[in-house]
Structure formats: C-alpha cells, structure tokens
Amino acid sequence: MKVKHWRLGVPRALFYYYYAPWWETFLENLGAEVVVSPPTSKEILDLGVGLAVAEACLPVKVYYGHAAWLAPRVEALFVPRLVSVEQKSFICPKLMGLPDMLRAAIKDCPPVIDPTVDLARRPEEGLRAAIRATARALGAGNREALKAAALAGTRYREWLAWQREGRLIWGSNIPSDCHVEQGATVAGNPCDCLLGQGLGPIANTGAPLTIGIVGHSYLLYDRYLGMDIPGKVARLGGRVVLPENIDPTLGEAACRQLPKRLYWTLGRKIMGTALHLMEKEEIAGLIHLTAFGCGPDSLVGDLAERYAHRLGKPFLLLTLDEHTGEAGVATRLEAFMDMLIRRRSA
Amino acid sequence: MKVTFPHMGHLWLVLKTALEGIGLEVVVPPPCTRRTLELGVRQAPESACLPLKVNLGNYLEAKELGADTIVMAGGVGPCRIGYYSQVQREILRDLGSEYEMIVFEPPDVHFSEVWEKIKYLNRRPWQDGVHGVILAWLKACAVDALEQEVQRLRPREDHPGRADAIFRRAVQRLDAADSRRTINRTVKEIKAELAAIPRRKKVPLLRIGIVGEIYTVLEPLVNLDIERRLGALGVEVVRSLFLSRWINDNLFKGLLPLPGHHPEKTAPPYLNHFVGGHGWESVGDTVAFARQGCDGVIQLAPLTCMPEIVAHSVMPSVQQATGIPVMTLYLDEQTGEAGLQTRLEAFVDMLRRQKGIRAG
C-alpha cells in the first residue's frame, strides 16, 4: 500500500496542552509531518474571535484562531472529537462538536481528521477505536498504529512524570530566564520548565508565600491567553503550585468528599486540586483562573470558592476574556499578594 | 414533608398531579416572575446558566410558603443540569435556607437507587400512585394538544389574545381535573371554544420553527413570551419540543408512539455527534423544519449554554445547505423586552420580504 505522507496541522490550543506528546509521537510514527501552530499571539486570537460565534468561550475562540492559521498551510487538520477521556466522565460539550464547528466556520477548510475519542463506557475499546480511525484516515495499517500508540504512550507517561516535578511543559515558548533541565529536551520539540514546584517544607517566615493556582492547562500554560499568571505570581514573590505538580490520586481522593461525582474530567482535576490544597496549612491562598463563558467552571469554580470560604482560605477568581487588560490583572494579583502578606504578619 | 419543584412551562401541572397521587403535600412555587429571577440571580454564580438561577428563585419563593423538600431531575453530564442540585444545595446552605433534595437521575450503580427514592417518597398504596402518574401523563398530553391549537390560532384570530385567555382557563380546569373523563371533556370543550373564535379573512402567514434548549423554549418568563409575540406579528409558531414528548423520550424511553426527535438522522453532516442538552436536536429540528417548508427558524438558548453554542456554531452550514434563515437568541437576566421585540420584528420583516420575492 502506498502511504501518503500528510502534512498535518495540530492547533496549539485546548487539549494540545494535555496530550501534545502523545499526539505528536503517534502522528509522526505514522509517517505524518506534524505542523504545530505557533504560540498564541494577538494575530491568532483576533483570527479566532473573528470566526467564532460571540458566545463561545475564549479558549474555543483561540482554538479557531490556531486552526485558521494552519488551514492554508497544511493538507489536513487533526481535530479529534473528544467526548470522554476516561470512564464515566465527559469533556465539555463544545469539544464534542469542535470538528463540525470548524468546518462550518473556516472558509476553504482543509480535510479534518476527526477520530471520536469516547472512553466513557469501555475505555480500552474506545481508545483502540480512536487509534484505528486515525490510522485509517492517514492510510496506515493497524499494526503500525498500535506500534505508534505504544511509543506515544511511553513518551506521554514520561512527560507526565516530568510535569509532576514541575520541569516541563510541552511545546510552550521558552522564557529567557527559564532554566531548562537536562534531559528535558525531546527531539525536535522545544520545551521549557515551568514554575510549579510542588509542596515542600518551608523553612522560615522569610520564605515566599505558597500560592495554589488552579485552572485549565490551556489557560495556565498558554502565556498569551493566560497572561502568564503563574509567572506573574512568581515574580511577585510567590511560590507557585499548579494542578500538574500534584499526584492525581490526591486530587481524586479530595474530590470524593463531594456528595456527587463530578462528571467533567477537567472539572474534577481543578476541584480536586483546589480541595486538596485548601486544606494544606502551607498554602497561603488559592487563585482560580478561568475563561469567560466556560460552562463547567461556572459551577465548579463557585463550589470551590464556597468550600474555601468555609475553611477561611483566601480565594481569588480571575476571569479572562478577549477584553481583559493586563494591567487590571496585574493590579488584582498585587492586591491579593499584599493581602496575603498582611495576613501572615498579623 | 412539603414537596416543591422547579418550574418549567406547564411542568408544575404534571408534577403536582403525580406527587399528590403518591400522597405528598405539594407546594407549587409561585408562578415565575421578575422577582423569582432576581432572587435567583442575586445568589447564583454569575456565569451559571439561566435555568439554574430561576430554579433557585423558585426554591426561595416556595420556602416562603413552607416547602421543605425539593424534587428535581439531575443527570450525569456533559450538560450542567446534572450538577445543578449540588450547587443549589450549597447556595441554599450558605443562605441558611436548608432543604432536603431528592434528585432523580440515571442511576450510578443500579436501578434500585431510583426505586429507593420513589419508595421513600411514596405515602399511599401503589394503585393510587399509578393512578396519579397516569393522570399526570394525560394532563401533559392534554396541555400540549391544546397549546398546539393555540399556536395555530394566534396569528389567525380576529382579536389577538382570545385564544390565550381560553388556554389559561383550560390550564386551571386541567389542574382541578381528577379523572380521565374530566380531562377528556375539558379538552373537547376547550377545543370547541377555540374553534369558535372568529378568524381574520385570509392573511398571508409566516411559519417559524422554534428550536433550542428545552427550558428557554418552554418557560415563558425567560423567553419573554416569545410565541405570543410572534403570533401577534402574524407568525404561526411550530416546535417539536413538548413536555409530553420529552417525558416520552426521556422517562418512557420513547415507548409510546409519539413523534420523537431523531437528530441522528437529520443533524449529520452538519453535526455528527451528540453534544449534551438539546444541541443535537436543535440542529436536527432546524433541518426538519427546512424540509417541512418553514420560512425561518429561531433558536433559543440560555447565555453560555454549551450544547446550544455548538448548535449555533454549525447553523451557518445548515443555512447554506437548506436555505432556511436561522436567528439565534441568547436569553439571560439582562434580556430586555424592547430589544427582543425589535429583533423579532426585524427577523419577521426580513422573512416576509424574502417570501414576497419568492412568491412574486
């Protein structure tokens, strides 16, 4: 069989920040040339805002921008239809419709490769079906696909471990003052360390305040869209803990105190991290970063805030949209940090 | 135990009958008003969807009347309604207004969970309960049948408002009805009354299909009585979302031979997967209305409703392929009457001009 070598576009937005290593390894091993859009910029944001319906949430608009940027430059777009990535859970409805939404919005849209990923009922079979569908769309066989998936899985687990140590975020731009750890470089992919450091003992009162920042990865790690909030907090003298720095089982365990299981995968991650951190003495405060129009966050965030209030843990909600100004965000962060410092000395 | 529940159109009539049938004391929340909305909006998370806010207002108003238990529906995602009860419970707790909440949702482990809840609520011999449920179902069908008549009549009647007045009376009579015979008689008599309303002489009518999220479609408070407004503009409204069909599709799993939704047949290739809520149905129904020769479609949704945003996003390709104009209206506590009226008039004018061009 003659296999075509696709030039495949992968938008650097939404679930790219959760599955990039998996996707890139898998697609490249199937013989595709993977083109990832550049980090979010004003140009990309404006492109997306112009194409998406006004009521869509900010991350989806940014996704439109990345896809539209790629459209004239590639032979096909890789936009998996993410229904569910684990048992009995869902991703947001918008992710379920994303391929169709892009086809309707982008003029001269290249073919969209949109395998359905639905692991809600039978995770293993669901994953295999998605792998097969992708391979078929690229003209590769099943054996090749399973081999590529195995390689992708290994790379992905490695990356998760790195993330927990706060070392590496896949494919984001490297800030000049960031020290790249040895061994953290994966062939052909730029990567950098991030500021999350995990929890540890704090020696004396002169130590920086430890701040938990929860939110979706595509806000926390997209430096343009998320305004580099973790970086800003660090520069204000905070020691940042991010969801990825925490053992997922701890978050899951914390989430079990809710009377009903949270059925959004990411909502559970955010809620779990928040609940776990708010009970920790050494956490001075929590920041919840969310995007305007995010459905699950509107409920999950409100619950998290209520629980934090009851525990007396300072909680700052930052909502971003395309009109949010950087100065406003900086002011609120400064005020929050000042308040925490006063609280500590009181 | 005094039981209450959230409002959604004529749902109260059905739930009241069913719950009284199993021997519970029922507190119907006061009809939704601006006050209900304001009470809810003040306490609910700002960017939560509108039904959550109005429901909360219903609970707070029912509390004033002495209710202490809420019966409501839940779900297991991906739409937000599945988590309403949790958020509402925490809000009510923080307000010091505690309620017992009994949430009916697809069982997590076993069907016995649902059964346990019914057994917990039931106060009467089973035959009585079954009788109440059947009565409730008949009332749902009766209300829906009459409402459809009214939808047809509104643009045709001589003096706008008569059909609605008769319908309001019908709802009260159905509420009081306690047997199948009374329900049937009421339907027959009201239908005759409606048929006797003097009509206008031949008017060119527009037909507009309404699609969208069930709460905004069925609850006149939040859609600012859109169907009556359209009727007054000379538009015949059609929709495929009715309480009885919803009950049939969701509770009876489509067992009864009522026309149901089949988005899997009509929505592709525009939307190829379910997206929670009524998003898939909105796209499928739009296609169906286009095939039935409707002049336009209005999509209703609460602001930030995730499934409807997906449907809204693919509407351009539906419009392009079928030629049917679609207007999407997002509703929330900020939606003003004048703004809505203006948009409806503009849409209707546009459709009328298009139709004239096509006819001429």
Side-chain angles (χ1 to χ4, degrees):
Chain A
M1 186 167 65
K2 194 168 168 275
V3 176
K4 180 173 156 41
H5 289 276
W6 290 87
R7 226 176 112 75
L8 207 53
V10 178
R12 190 192 296 268
L14 293 177
F15 272 66
Y16 178 83
Y17 289 95
Y18 290 92
Y19 292 124
W22 206 104
W23 289 348
E24 287 177 13
T25 314
F26 179 67
L27 296 171
E28 275 165 4
N29 274 290
L30 288 180
E33 183 195 342
V34 176
V35 183
V36 180
S37 51
T40 312
S41 59
K42 186 170 184 326
E43 179 203 352
I44 285 176
L45 177 64
D46 288 348
L47 208 54
V49 169
L51 285 172
V53 299
E55 289 74 13
C57 58
L58 190 60
V60 164
K61 288 179 182 170
V62 166
Y63 193 94
Y64 271 65
H66 283 277
W69 187 91
L70 285 167
R73 295 172 167 89
V74 293
E75 292 164 309
L77 286 173
F78 178 66
V79 185
R81 191 190 296 281
L82 296 174
V83 175
S84 162
V85 295
E86 57 180 348
Q87 207 162 17
K88 283 189 180 178
S89 296
F90 287 102
I91 304 297
C92 158
K94 284 173 213 164
L95 276 290
M96 299 181 182
L98 206 50
D100 301 312
M101 290 157 73
L102 287 179
R103 281 193 204 101
I106 297 178
K107 277 206 188 78
D108 306 318
C109 190
V112 176
I113 295 177
D114 60 346
T116 301
V117 182
D118 185 355
L119 318 188
R121 285 181 192 205
R122 284 184 289 271
E124 310 234 313
E125 284 169 42
L127 185 60
R128 262 204 303 275
I131 288 168
R132 282 210 189 106
T134 316
R136 208 165 37 239
L138 292 175
N142 269 344
R143 286 227 348 235
E144 273 175 284
L146 290 178
K147 214 176 104 195
L151 285 172
T154 313
R155 172 77 80 230
Y156 177 63
R157 281 188 293 277
E158 221 172 16
W159 176 70
L160 286 184
W162 283 338
Q163 248 193 346
R164 199 159 317 145
E165 294 163 29
R167 277 206 290 173
L168 167 78
I169 280 304
W170 196 271
S172 36
N173 45 341
I174 304 170
S176 53
D177 58 342
C178 188
H179 160 70
V180 179
E181 297 263 336
Q182 273 237 315
T185 320
V186 179
N189 289 293
C191 38
D192 68 43
C193 64
L194 207 92
L195 303 136
Q197 288 148 6
L199 286 173
I202 296 170
N204 53 51
T205 45
L209 290 162
T210 308
I211 313 285
I213 305 184
V214 297
H216 294 112
S217 293
Y218 46 76
L219 287 180
L220 291 176
Y221 304 127
D222 183 329
R223 273 161 212 273
Y224 184 83
L225 178 59
M227 293 190 178
D228 192 20
I229 303 279
K232 284 192 169 72
V233 172
R235 282 190 287 281
L236 288 169
R239 186 162 168 273
V240 177
V241 181
L242 297 166
E244 280 67 30
N245 305 138
I246 289 181
D247 186 344
T249 52
L250 292 175
E252 286 283 337
C255 247
R256 255 172 247 136
Q257 63 178 280
L258 294 176
K260 178 178 172 176
R261 207 181 99 87
L262 252 173
Y263 47 72
W264 293 297
T265 297
L266 300 185
R268 215 166 53 247
K269 188 167 183 183
I270 290 172
M271 192 70 186
T273 310
L275 287 176
H276 174 74
L277 290 181
M278 70 179 67
E279 280 166 7
K280 290 261 174 285
E281 188 70 36
E282 60 266 42
I283 293 284
L286 280 169
I287 297 175
H288 179 208
L289 184 62
T290 181
F292 180 77
C294 177
D297 271 8
S298 71
L299 301 190
V300 172
D302 185 72
L303 281 183
E305 192 166 357
R306 279 174 200 280
Y307 280 88
H309 266 294
R310 290 175 196 166
L311 289 170
K313 192 66 88 181
F315 190 99
L316 174 68
L317 172 70
L318 282 177
T319 308
L320 300 173
D321 72 4
E322 58 265 45
H323 310 297
T324 307
E326 192 140 12
V329 169
T331 309
R332 295 190 60 192
L333 284 178
E334 280 165 25
F336 187 64
M337 296 295 282
D338 282 350
M339 185 268 289
L340 294 182
I341 290 168
R342 263 204 314 279
R343 235 172 98 101
R344 182 167 65 179
S345 50
Chain B
M1 185 193 287
K2 286 187 173 180
V3 194
T4 191
F5 44 76
H7 270 300
M8 180 173 81
H10 302 295
L11 179 66
W12 66 272
L13 184 71
V14 182
L15 276 179
K16 184 182 169 208
T17 310
L19 292 172
E20 280 179 351
I22 57 173
L24 290 168
E25 194 179 341
V26 175
V27 178
V28 178
C32 291
T33 57
R34 274 329 273 194
R35 176 173 185 259
T36 321
L37 183 59
E38 272 158 29
L39 279 175
V41 165
R42 210 173 300 149
Q43 309 301 342
E46 183 191 347
S47 51
C49 36
L50 195 58
L52 183 142
K53 300 178 184 177
V54 186
N55 288 354
L56 197 60
N58 289 145
Y59 302 151
L60 290 170
E61 287 190 316
K63 190 95 206 171
E64 292 166 7
L65 300 178
D68 55 22
T69 305
I70 295 167
V71 173
M72 67 175 296
V76 288
C79 165
R80 270 176 281 185
I81 180 140
Y83 231 73
Y84 272 21
S85 57
Q86 312 303 316
V87 176
Q88 287 165 341
R89 178 186 288 136
E90 301 293 340
I91 295 172
L92 290 168
R93 186 182 145 185
D94 281 349
L95 283 175
S97 177
E98 293 219 30
Y99 260 119
E100 185 177 358
M101 279 186 161
I102 296 166
V103 187
F104 284 93
E105 48 200 349
D108 200 23
V109 186
H110 200 265
F111 186 72
S112 60
E113 288 173 35
V114 177
W115 190 243
E116 287 301 319
K117 284 175 190 165
I118 297 175
K119 238 167 47 189
Y120 173 70
L121 284 173
N122 193 28
R123 301 287 138 101
R124 285 233 190 113
W126 284 110
Q127 308 86 286
D128 290 12
V130 171
H131 176 75
V133 169
I134 292 174
L135 212 58
W137 165 250
L138 291 173
K139 285 185 185 182
C141 292
V143 165
D144 288 346
L146 292 176
E147 193 169 21
Q148 257 178 309
E149 289 283 310
V150 175
Q151 285 176 333
R152 246 172 48 75
L153 261 173
R154 276 187 195 123
R156 294 183 168 86
E157 62 184 344
D158 209 357
H159 296 288
R162 276 195 203 169
D164 276 295
I166 294 173
F167 182 61
R168 269 196 298 277
R169 223 156 9 87
V171 172
Q172 280 167 11
R173 282 179 60 181
L174 285 174
D175 180 28
D178 55 0
S179 71
R180 183 191 289 253
R181 268 224 340 259
T182 341
I183 295 173
N184 288 342
R185 203 177 57 225
T186 310
V187 172
K188 219 171 126 193
E189 284 173 15
I190 297 289
K191 275 195 176 165
E193 265 186 72
L194 288 172
I197 294 179
R199 320 271 173 112
R200 271 193 253 179
K201 282 195 200 92
K202 264 195 104 163
V203 276
L205 285 186
L206 282 177
R207 223 147 55 93
I208 291 183
I210 299 241
V211 303
E213 185 275 332
I214 186 166
Y215 190 84
T216 38
V217 171
L218 294 185
E219 178 52 57
L221 169 83
V222 303
N223 66 33
L224 303 172
D225 231 342
I226 193 168
E227 296 197 3
R228 215 171 35 78
R229 284 170 195 273
L230 286 168
L233 292 173
V235 173
E236 181 181 342
V237 170
V238 283
R239 61 170 142 98
S240 54
L241 261 181
F242 284 96
L243 209 49
S244 55
R245 286 186 207 168
W246 183 83
I247 296 172
N248 186 29
D249 284 352
N250 289 279
L251 297 184
F252 304 159
K253 296 282 166 223
L255 281 178
L256 301 167
L258 276 178
H261 291 276
H262 295 287
E264 70 283 357
K265 288 181 192 148
T266 42
Y270 315 108
L271 188 55
N272 298 300
H273 198 276
F274 98 101
V275 292
H278 282 89
W280 212 18
E281 283 87 345
S282 293
V283 177
D285 288 350
T286 303
V287 174
F289 283 139
R291 288 185 191 152
Q292 289 161 23
C294 279
D295 300 296
V297 164
I298 294 180
Q299 183 199 3
L300 297 177
L303 189 67
T304 76
C305 173
M306 303 179 281
E308 295 301 327
I309 288 174
V310 176
H312 181 193
S313 300
V314 305
M315 283 301 182
S317 51
V318 179
Q319 293 191 52
Q320 207 173 27
T322 63
I324 194 163
V326 182
M327 176 166 75
T328 303
L329 293 174
Y330 287 95
L331 301 156
D332 73 354
E333 64 267 23
Q334 313 283 351
T335 309
E337 280 190 27
L340 184 86
Q341 183 70 23
T342 311
R343 297 191 62 186
L344 290 181
E345 284 170 14
F347 189 59
V348 168
D349 276 351
M350 189 268 290
L351 294 182
R352 198 155 272 148
R353 211 162 34 239
Q354 250 187 18
K355 193 169 187 164
I357 292 167
R358 252 187 288 142

